[in-house]
């Protein structure tokens, strides 16, 4: 299981505090949007070599956890 905390950070100084991939200005939303629009993990890594497959999978894990918390709280 991917521990997204190894790859995802929140920093108010970067992208208005949105969750980003550590060491980049690429947000979780950016990655999820690329995946939703049909890009593969391999294509994203090719376009953004600073990202790893695990960092991209961490975005999915982050989104899954946020969705779970929303469902549990409702």
């Amino acid at each position: 299981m991917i521990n997204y905390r190894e790859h995802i950070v929140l920093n108010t100084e970067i992208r208005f505090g949105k969750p980003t991939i550590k060491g980049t200005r690429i947000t979780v939303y950016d990655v999820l949007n690329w995946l939703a629009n049909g890009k593969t993990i391999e294509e994203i890594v090719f376009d953004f070599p600073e990202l790893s497959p695990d960092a991209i999978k961490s975005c999915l894990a982050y989104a899954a956890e946020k969705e779970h918390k929303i469902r549990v709280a409702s």
Side-chain angles (χ1 to χ4, degrees):
M1 175 176 262
I2 296 279
N3 179 2
Y4 72 81
R5 290 178 179 91
E6 293 177 11
H7 300 278
I8 307 297
V9 295
L10 296 167
N11 181 337
T12 57
E13 301 293 318
I14 301 173
R15 300 289 298 265
F16 305 102
K18 294 179 182 175
T20 58
I21 297 176
K22 191 181 292 185
T24 75
R25 296 180 56 79
I26 300 170
T27 66
V28 169
Y29 173 81
D30 294 332
V31 173
L32 295 175
N33 191 41
W34 296 328
L35 291 169
N37 283 292
K39 277 196 155 192
T40 65
I41 291 174
E42 293 78 16
E43 290 171 328
I44 296 169
V45 170
F46 181 81
D47 289 342
F48 300 92
E50 64 271 32
L51 300 181
S52 68
D54 281 349
I56 294 167
K57 291 174 188 173
S58 290
C59 294
L60 294 169
Y62 179 88
E65 182 174 295
K66 295 304 172 191
E67 174 65 16
H68 178 72
K69 285 182 179 180
I70 291 170
R71 296 267 180 202
V72 171
S74 297

